[in-house]
Amino acid sequence: MDIHQRIDTAIMATLARGQGGLAAPRQLSEALVYACTPGGARIRPTILVSVALACGDDQPAATDAAATALELIHCASLVHDDLPCFDDADLRRGKPTVHKAYSEPLAVLTGDSLIVMAFETLARVAPKAPDRVAPLVTALARRTGMPHGICAGQGWESEPEIDLDAYHLSKTGALFIAATQMGALAAGQEAEPWYELGARIGAAFQVADDLRDALGSEASLGKPAHQDELHNRPNAVRELGVDGAVRRLGDILSGAIASIPSCPGEASLAHMVRMQAERLTPGLNPVRV
Amino acid sequence: MDIHQRIDTAIMATLARGQGGLAAPRQLSEALVYACTPGGARIRPTILVSVALACGDDQPAATDAAATALELIHCASLVHDDLPCFDDADLRRGKPTVHKAYSEPLAVLTGDSLIVMAFETLARVAPKAPDRVAPLVTALARRTGMPHGICAGQGWESEPEIDLDAYHLSKTGALFIAATQMGALAAGQEAEPWYELGARIGAAFQVADDLRDALGSEASLGKPAHQDELHNRPNAVRELGVDGAVRRLGDILSGAIASIPSCPGEASLAHMVRMQAERLTPGLNPVRV
């Protein structure tokens, strides 16, 4: 089973449990799966599992739970970000957004339920690795909520003056930091040495996303393009131009690879970062590392 | 320090940490506290702490964390329930709802952040009582998310046919079950024997809420009255009449007191249930137990 299959199997098993069969409200039950499929690249859990593997992956159930929890939080954030009061998006991953396909109340509840399910999933690690539950819950919560998680990142968009570093670090960086740190924690290692790799991958992803938003079309993205310009949000292409943004992306990724802590799977991790970079910006070839 | 002070101190300390000072977005930071104050009766955490005290309260920090987490989830649910796509409420606890005072995006984010903060708070129990973190996270998540928590309860309102028992148990009962079970877990006891007390208090609260919604005014409730009729939701007063609903409330509460598991603080717990019942329905005197 490759990483992608492994992650999807874990996520689908967790969702099935959360759906609850006939004793649960049918539409909300369906919307949970709708919001998390098709999975796309599952970049964050892929990074998480890659780090866990590089650290030995001595408790695969902990790694699976961590990867699932992280992806559920990511999917929840997409559902809420797409709501009419935020991006008011009709399409996501090439299909109608949750509030379009179901309703706005069900989209709010889907996001809420997925957030709760994420933490519930981490608690299920207890029978096999009781000492890893609290560090995983803490790492995920810290990068999800206030004051430094993706909620804070979205919160900055309501401020008259944005602290740009805090904004990017929390809005996009946070879940990549969670990915590398939770991967290490799931394998019984310290989280701290893995902060920089996550932060750098997050920064790279932000620049790549800016490039795709500026250069892409709705058809190629599976969601509306040019949203940053429309919503007057900061964007690296507006700041640096296309060539400058591509150069910055390459620099960040070189630094990311250089920051990988010494561990048994160091080389394969570097390979994974290169692969993700190519996937992020097809045709732009920013990475010559 | 009485229970009410103890709970408020714990909640305010947790919120201050979540606000994050100057490095966080200011409005979202403020909205977190706005959504949780003034506290009102703090019924759920009061029940939780009362159960923990009745069980010995051997780790007060665990009890405080559990009470805080439960109340944060309750406050989050109020913020999201008040949103335009649900109750579209302008008032809550006598002041503008979060989306009215701040904005709809900030109300969504406030709810999300409070949910995350609840689980983060439970993880902080680890240094003092590492084995209690996972059971507390599981108990809270189970009564919050899908398929049996308050999210499921709200989800039932989008269904063409409602399973009334599942609806009431999840919509109102869930957080009272969490209250009694988390109180026991925080004190190192089993959760299961405390299910019935929580479920019965929840059922009583539902009937009391139905009575207040049917008989109250916006001024006395601090929120709009007659919402059940307006939204065509099930209500015990519509089903049984006022006298019938008051009688049912009395029956449920007698059963609740009878269900209290044998423990050192059994008598004071029974007293607490009577006090909560009187507070729920001032002037109606349903309880002669």
Side-chain angles (χ1 to χ4, degrees), chain B residues 115-141:
Chain B
I115 297 172
V116 174
M117 200 185 296
F119 292 104
E120 192 171 11
T121 302
L122 294 178
R124 274 199 216 102
V125 170
K128 293 208 170 164
D131 54 327
R132 296 185 194 173
V133 173
L136 285 169
V137 169
T138 301
L140 184 59

Side-chain angles (χ1 to χ4, degrees), chain A residues 18 20 23 25-28 80 85-86 105 109 112-113 116 119-120 123 126 134 137-138 141 144 146-147 151-152 154-156 158-159, chain B residues 18 20 23-28 80 85-86 105 109 112-113 116 119-120 123 126 134 137-138 141 144 146-147 151-152 154-156 158-159:
Chain A
R26 191 183 55 80
Q27 290 178 90
L28 179 55
H80 282 185
C85 70
F86 289 106
L109 293 171
D112 292 353
S113 302
V116 174
F119 292 104
E120 192 170 12
V137 168
T138 300
T144 302
M146 275 283 282
C151 290
Q154 281 288 86
W156 277 113
S158 293
E159 293 298 312
Chain B
R26 191 184 54 80
Q27 291 178 88
L28 179 55
H80 281 185
C85 70
F86 288 106
L109 292 172
D112 292 354
S113 302
V116 174
F119 292 104
E120 192 171 11
V137 169
T138 301
T144 303
M146 275 282 283
C151 290
Q154 282 286 87
W156 277 113
S158 293
E159 291 300 311

Side-chain angles (χ1 to χ4, degrees), chain A residues 47-269:
Chain A
I47 294 169
L48 188 155
V49 174
S50 302
V51 170
L53 286 166
C55 292
D57 192 28
D58 67 333
Q59 286 287 357
T63 303
D64 289 354
T68 298
L70 180 61
E71 184 68 3
L72 294 180
I73 291 287
H74 174 58
C75 292
S77 77
L78 298 181
V79 174
H80 282 185
D81 288 1
D82 285 337
L83 284 170
C85 70
F86 289 106
D87 287 357
D88 195 15
D90 294 345
L91 285 174
R92 166 71 67 182
R93 291 168 175 161
K95 66 180 189 178
T97 48
V98 175
H99 66 275
K100 282 285 169 188
Y102 291 89
S103 68
E104 211 179 317
L106 286 168
V108 174
L109 293 171
T110 297
D112 292 353
S113 302
L114 292 173
I115 296 172
V116 174
M117 200 185 296
F119 292 104
E120 192 170 12
T121 302
L122 294 178
R124 274 200 216 99
V125 169
K128 294 209 170 162
D131 55 326
R132 296 185 194 174
V133 173
L136 284 169
V137 168
T138 300
L140 184 58
R142 190 166 177 198
R143 306 301 166 190
T144 302
M146 275 283 282
H148 302 305
I150 51 174
C151 290
Q154 281 288 86
W156 277 113
E157 295 183 10
S158 293
E159 293 298 312
E161 284 180 31
I162 294 187
D163 177 334
L164 265 184
D165 287 341
Y167 170 68
H168 281 310
L169 194 62
S170 53
K171 167 133 180 156
T172 315
L175 290 193
F176 288 100
I177 298 169
T180 54
Q181 294 196 318
M182 291 174 77
L185 290 169
Q189 301 301 308
E190 291 293 316
E192 193 44 43
W194 294 90
Y195 176 92
E196 189 177 346
L197 177 61
R200 283 182 176 271
I201 295 176
F205 192 83
Q206 180 62 53
V207 177
D209 207 48
D210 288 356
L211 278 161
R212 286 149 74 213
D213 185 77
L215 304 177
S217 66
E218 178 160 325
S220 69
L221 295 177
K223 63 178 183 180
H226 314 302
Q227 291 294 301
D228 291 338
E229 204 175 334
L230 196 65
H231 296 281
N232 198 29
R233 289 189 293 230
N235 180 305
V237 177
R238 285 167 75 185
E239 189 194 332
L240 304 168
V242 172
D243 288 351
V246 172
R247 263 197 309 276
R248 176 177 288 182
L249 182 55
D251 291 347
I252 296 170
L253 286 165
S254 307
I257 290 169
S259 84
I260 296 174
S262 174
C263 63
E266 203 175 324
S268 66
L269 253 192

